[in-house]
Amino acid sequence: MINKLYKSASLQSLFRKSQFTIFAITFLICTFTFASISVFTIESYAKQNLLLISRTVAERIQPALVFNDQTSLSQIVNEYTHQHSIRLIEVYDTQGNKLTQSTKSIEQYSLLQNLFDHIFLKDAIKLSVQHHGKAVGTVVLYGSSNEILIFIIKIFVGLAFGMLFMIFALWWSVNSTYRHIMQSISPIVQIAQLVSNQKAYNLRFPQNDIKEFHHLNSVFNQLLEEIQSWHTDLQNENHQLSYQVQHDHLTQLPNRSYFYQVLCHLFEDSKQRHQSALLFIDNNNFKAINDQYGHLVGDEVLKEMALRLQNNIRQGDFVARLGGDEFAIILRNVQKVEHLISIAENLIKCCEQPLIYKDQSIQFSFSLGIALSKQATDPEDFISQADQAMYKAKSLQHHWFIYHS
């Protein structure tokens, strides 16, 4: 009676159950690992990307806010809304009045994308637009999760194919031994842990002598390749945006923010701290040029100034546009004051030739103030000395002056 009630399980059935459990655990670990890595990686880079874009937008719209150029303001925000992953840009003046806004229309995945926008990019980036240290407006930017959504859909499609391969492998691996199965799973788990802990997206699952595992590895390798590709693309885009944030859009010279970074690093270097000089440069007749020829010609004059300054400094020196018609040059390894005089006279001389623009001969000149780093106590003092020297130079016939403490 007891023998009739007791039903023994076959070895084949035990192997199927054990293999199904092992495969299921492995697949869940890998699925959770890659889904988590993918989502958090893309979300992190999307937010970094959004912050860099907001800084770039603030830099681009600064002139339009200062000159109240509504047309340029709308063109700039529309350009960024359509070219980047942004669903809404709003620009406000200092009194909180909305000046313009640009919204990206969503044609596909609208309901699902709205959900992802709420989950990943709910909060807006608010950035104050500064001009000479004074706020001239505020830009509010909301990111779009369209690329995140497409990427996640691809991941789940890949995982679905992985599930199919796993089921196929389950039936064909019944006759394999448990030890063989564990030896085959061990590299997969190790690689997944390395990718999870170290974000080593360049790793690939090795070839396996079990056909089904080899297919599973191929699917995960495809996912790794896609994650690595997105990772590389986002890094390249962040590098490009970082360059735009640190450089002036008109002259392509380093901007005020980048200039301050270099200046602070200079004061942290004990050698450069006592062997450097700072030149402040200001156009003498820029307002008159703008009034007589217009702002487009004024921009050409600024670009020509930037080019001539770059061509008349030494290799290793640093030139930046601080804003408007103001430029700055950091001279390194300055040994003698006579060298400064020679550099200053050469820079003043480089603007003697007029700019020829559309058959118009445009004369321009600038004044140059010089300060020595060994006479300054900190970067702010260094800047103040160069600024004072520049204003003194405007009253001199040769248009350059070296600050003396």
Side-chain angles (χ1 to χ4, degrees):
M1 185 70 175
I2 296 176
N3 291 335
K4 291 182 179 179
L5 294 174
Y6 182 78
K7 293 182 179 180
S8 61
S10 66
L11 183 61
Q12 186 180 42
S13 175
L14 291 174
F15 271 129
R16 285 176 178 171
K17 291 179 181 179
S18 63
Q19 288 173 353
F20 178 84
T21 302
I22 294 170
F23 271 89
I25 292 174
T26 303
F27 186 80
L28 288 174
I29 290 174
C30 293
T31 300
F32 177 80
T33 300
F34 285 107
S36 301
I37 291 172
S38 302
V39 171
F40 287 118
T41 299
I42 298 303
E43 179 187 11
S44 175
Y45 277 102
K47 289 181 178 178
Q48 293 179 18
N49 187 33
L50 193 61
L51 183 59
L52 288 173
I53 291 175
S54 65
R55 293 175 178 171
T56 305
V57 173
E59 188 77 14
R60 288 283 308 277
I61 67 173
Q62 182 207 51
L65 285 174
V66 172
F67 294 102
N68 196 22
D69 188 350
Q70 191 71 28
T71 302
S72 298
L73 197 61
S74 299
Q75 290 176 349
I76 292 171
V77 296
N78 287 332
E79 173 188 341
Y80 277 85
T81 303
H82 289 90
Q83 293 183 2
H84 298 275
S85 296
I86 299 171
R87 67 178 187 271
L88 175 62
I89 299 178
E90 297 175 335
V91 180
Y92 297 87
D93 61 17
T94 53
Q95 285 75 38
N97 299 317
K98 184 187 293 186
L99 299 178
T100 187
Q101 74 172 35
S102 179
T103 305
K104 176 182 289 184
S105 59
I106 303 173
E107 298 177 355
Q108 297 178 343
Y109 316 112
S110 58
L111 294 177
L112 190 56
Q113 184 169 332
N114 287 334
L115 177 62
F116 274 70
D117 287 342
H118 181 76
I119 295 174
F120 297 110
L121 300 171
K122 177 181 179 181
D123 298 326
I125 300 293
K126 296 182 179 180
L127 201 63
S128 176
V129 183
Q130 303 286 328
H131 179 68
H132 294 297
K134 181 181 178 182
V136 296
T138 302
V139 59
V140 179
L141 190 145
Y142 290 86
S144 171
S145 61
N146 181 55
E147 294 182 0
I148 298 177
L149 177 60
I150 295 174
F151 182 71
I152 291 177
I153 290 174
K154 291 181 179 179
I155 288 176
F156 281 99
V157 170
L159 292 175
F161 280 106
M163 178 63 77
L164 294 175
F165 280 118
M166 192 191 82
I167 295 173
F168 178 74
L170 177 64
W171 290 100
W172 282 90
S173 61
V174 171
N175 296 323
S176 298
T177 64
Y178 181 76
R179 185 182 298 274
H180 194 184
I181 295 173
M182 291 304 298
Q183 290 175 349
S184 299
I185 290 178
S186 179
I188 298 176
V189 175
Q190 292 175 0
I191 295 291
Q193 289 175 343
L194 285 174
V195 173
S196 175
N197 296 332
Q198 302 179 13
K199 295 181 174 56
Y201 306 122
N202 60 314
L203 295 178
R204 295 294 180 267
F205 292 103
Q207 292 185 354
N208 201 294
D209 55 356
I210 297 178
K211 182 179 180 181
E212 292 75 17
F213 276 18
H214 179 72
H215 286 312
L216 186 62
N217 289 356
S218 298
V219 172
F220 283 121
N221 282 338
Q222 291 175 5
L223 287 173
L224 276 175
E225 289 175 1
E226 192 163 350
I227 292 174
Q228 185 181 18
S229 176
W230 274 80
H231 179 79
T232 303
D233 291 342
L234 285 170
Q235 279 188 323
N236 293 335
E237 187 173 354
N238 285 343
H239 287 319
Q240 293 176 0
L241 291 171
S242 179
Y243 178 87
Q244 293 178 11
V245 168
Q246 292 183 328
H247 288 75
D248 173 55
H249 177 70
L250 178 65
T251 64
Q252 299 304 312
L253 290 179
N255 58 18
R256 180 183 293 269
S257 175
Y258 193 7
F259 163 75
Y260 279 122
Q261 292 179 25
V262 173
L263 194 64
C264 290
H265 289 159
L266 182 147
F267 270 76
E268 294 171 359
D269 188 322
S270 57
K271 181 178 179 181
Q272 295 188 48
R273 171 70 177 79
H274 298 285
Q275 295 184 1
S276 300
L278 176 61
L279 281 62
F280 260 34
I281 302 162
D282 186 77
N283 194 300
N284 293 325
N285 57 333
F286 187 67
K287 186 178 184 303
I289 291 173
N290 272 336
D291 293 342
Q292 183 177 355
Y293 300 102
H295 291 291
L296 289 178
V297 175
D299 288 345
E300 293 299 321
V301 170
L302 292 177
K303 289 193 285 187
E304 183 67 18
M305 278 185 65
L307 182 62
R308 295 188 187 185
L309 291 176
Q310 284 181 300
N311 292 338
N312 287 275
I313 59 175
R314 304 166 305 170
Q315 185 176 6
D317 293 335
F318 180 84
V319 57
R321 183 190 176 196
L322 303 184
D325 58 339
E326 296 179 351
F327 295 79
I329 299 176
I330 297 176
L331 301 178
R332 298 182 173 92
N333 299 320
V334 178
Q335 303 295 334
K336 297 181 180 180
V337 176
E338 289 78 7
H339 295 165
L340 281 176
I341 296 175
S342 176
I343 292 172
E345 290 178 344
N346 188 48
L347 288 172
I348 294 295
K349 187 177 180 181
C350 79
C351 69
E352 291 180 354
Q353 292 296 325
L355 167 65
I356 306 301
Y357 178 74
K358 293 184 178 180
D359 298 328
Q360 297 181 96
S361 178
I362 303 166
Q363 294 285 349
F364 66 93
S365 64
F366 49 77
S367 297
L368 191 150
I370 308 171
L372 302 175
S373 60
K374 61 184 178 181
Q375 295 182 359
T377 57
D378 51 45
E380 289 73 19
D381 187 33
F382 200 19
I383 292 173
S384 176
Q385 292 179 8
D387 195 36
Q388 293 178 48
M390 188 267 291
Y391 280 103
K392 175 68 176 177
K394 283 183 173 292
S395 63
L396 301 177
Q397 185 175 0
H398 54 269
H399 289 302
W400 62 265
F401 182 75
I402 300 177
Y403 179 88
H404 301 286
S405 59

